[in-house]
Amino acid sequence: MLDSTHQTATLPDIAQEEKAHIGGQLQWVGMSDIEMPLELNADVTVKPSIARVRAEVSLDDSVSKGIHMSRLYLACDRLFSEQAIDFDCLSDLTDEFLKSHHELSSNALVEVESDILLRRKALVTDNAGWRAYPIKLSVVNCQKTGTARYLSFQVVYSSTCPCSAALARQLIQDKFDRQFDSETVHKADILQWLGSTDGINATPHSQRSTAVVKIKLNNNQSQVPIEHFIETVENTLQTAVQSAVKRADEQAFALRNGQNLMFCEDAARRIKQALEKSDRVQQFHLRVTHHESLHPHDATAEAYSE
């Protein structure tokens, strides 16, 4: 009977024993969507979640059949099972990838995607609720350019169209002019009219919108600065979608939308300006999408660091 403890010595290893029929170097080879538990070392307390990990190395040996994918998986398993994840340990993980593939590879990368839950306060009341934010942590370790660390995330917000708001105001003005055609107008009558559906006969269109931001961080950034950058974007836009909402919160949200009318260009420029002021950011890329309620298509704007 074959002893299972010695079984690996007799099993064929095609990747190591055979050469490629068609040679050539490959930029990246590995695995994606590896399921791992995720605990983050972040600037805010984050509940444990599930990670989807991409682990890859370059295949520089043009005649080698392939890489050792199990080595990548086992290295990820050791890291994600034992400690909280930050950029330092992900950088160390890419070093381990290269050490285990020293004869094959000179570049390595790891990406960690997840949805994190953050507790967000209501605008006015004492209530709070959960918001989910898609995030991605990336470390790219290249022989020629060194190591780079990236944080990507998405923020969902409300955008009210400035053009639509102006058109609505014009309709309200026209209605007012027809309603109050005399020289003398009493304040009480105006207040009653403004509070009626007959008075405010038009409202601007608004829509749920998304901002996707990717930031190249300084290499001394170890802890994951999730809350810092999410709050930077949300405070810049002022209209992040809410979780727990009572009527007072909804009214405050309506006020914020009215005070922050935005085309997609306005939103992109606001975020760009905020990121340009941050000393934690080396480079960035952002894309905003306004999922139009007027059209069946979206309005989009994109910006890069200069």
Side-chain angles (χ1 to χ4, degrees):
M1 181 176 179
L2 181 66
D3 184 354
S4 61
T5 60
H6 298 93
Q7 204 170 27
T8 55
T10 62
L11 296 177
D13 186 349
I14 300 300
Q16 185 172 354
E17 296 169 359
E18 292 191 9
K19 299 300 182 182
H21 296 298
I22 300 176
Q25 295 180 334
L26 297 174
Q27 277 68 40
W28 298 113
V29 181
M31 295 174 286
S32 63
D33 287 329
I34 306 171
E35 298 169 348
M36 288 286 163
L38 180 62
E39 184 177 343
L40 284 178
N41 173 21
D43 60 352
V44 62
T45 300
V46 178
K47 289 185 175 296
S49 59
I50 299 172
R52 299 173 297 280
V53 180
R54 175 186 174 194
E56 297 181 349
V57 294
S58 60
L59 181 54
D60 304 329
D61 185 347
S62 60
V63 298
S64 177
K65 188 74 169 175
I67 68 164
H68 308 288
M69 293 200 183
S70 62
R71 297 179 186 178
L72 301 182
Y73 181 90
L74 293 174
C76 290
D77 182 58
R78 286 190 294 271
L79 176 66
F80 284 84
S81 300
E82 294 174 359
Q83 68 183 86
I85 300 302
D86 57 27
F87 285 106
D88 278 352
C89 71
L90 291 179
S91 181
D92 292 342
L93 182 61
T94 61
D95 289 337
E96 187 173 351
F97 290 170
L98 293 177
K99 185 178 179 180
S100 67
H101 288 76
H102 62 90
E103 76 283 8
L104 298 175
S105 307
S106 58
N107 307 311
L109 69 80
V110 59
E111 292 182 349
V112 181
E113 292 188 74
S114 186
D115 290 340
I116 63 162
L117 284 171
L118 296 183
R119 194 76 172 162
R120 315 305 279 169
K121 292 183 178 180
L123 291 177
V124 176
T125 65
D126 293 331
N127 296 301
W130 295 103
R131 287 282 298 111
Y133 296 86
I135 67 162
K136 180 192 290 186
L137 316 180
S138 307
V139 173
V140 182
N141 187 341
C142 291
Q143 186 179 58
K144 292 183 179 180
T145 59
T147 301
R149 304 178 178 197
Y150 301 91
L151 170 64
S152 304
F153 60 92
Q154 177 181 285
V155 166
V156 183
Y157 62 100
S158 174
S159 59
T160 301
C161 176
C163 180
S164 180
L167 295 171
R169 288 194 298 268
Q170 184 184 57
L171 288 172
I172 294 170
Q173 286 176 317
D174 292 343
K175 189 67 178 292
F176 180 90
D177 187 52
R178 294 193 301 270
Q179 179 75 24
F180 300 97
D181 55 359
S182 63
E183 292 294 330
T184 303
V185 181
H186 297 289
K187 179 180 179 180
D189 294 334
I190 296 175
L191 287 175
Q192 183 179 3
W193 182 82
L194 288 173
S196 67
T197 54
D198 185 56
I200 306 302
N201 63 325
T203 58
H205 74 82
S206 60
Q207 50 270 325
R208 190 180 300 170
S209 305
T210 55
V212 178
V213 181
K214 181 178 183 180
I215 297 168
K216 183 179 181 182
L217 299 165
N218 298 323
N219 276 338
N220 61 1
Q221 179 69 54
S222 177
Q223 190 179 63
V224 183
I226 295 173
E227 185 175 53
H228 171 78
F229 282 112
I230 286 177
E231 291 197 342
T232 295
V233 173
E234 289 188 341
N235 291 338
T236 296
L237 295 172
Q238 286 290 302
T239 57
V241 298
Q242 303 295 298
S243 49
V245 175
K246 299 290 286 183
R247 281 178 295 174
D249 304 306
E250 186 172 357
Q251 187 178 60
F253 189 67
L255 179 62
R256 287 197 176 199
N257 273 267
Q259 293 176 336
N260 293 276
L261 305 175
M262 286 183 284
F263 291 129
C264 61
E265 297 93 330
D266 299 312
R269 286 171 174 150
R270 285 192 184 192
I271 300 171
K272 180 181 179 183
Q273 184 181 65
L275 295 177
E276 286 174 338
K277 293 179 179 178
S278 175
D279 57 5
R280 300 193 190 188
V281 177
Q282 286 192 15
Q283 298 173 351
F284 65 83
H285 167 259
L286 68 95
R287 182 176 178 85
V288 300
T289 303
H290 289 191
H291 307 280
E292 291 279 343
S293 60
L294 175 63
H295 308 289
H297 51 264
D298 298 332
T300 60
E302 197 162 329
Y304 304 84
S305 48
E306 298 175 357

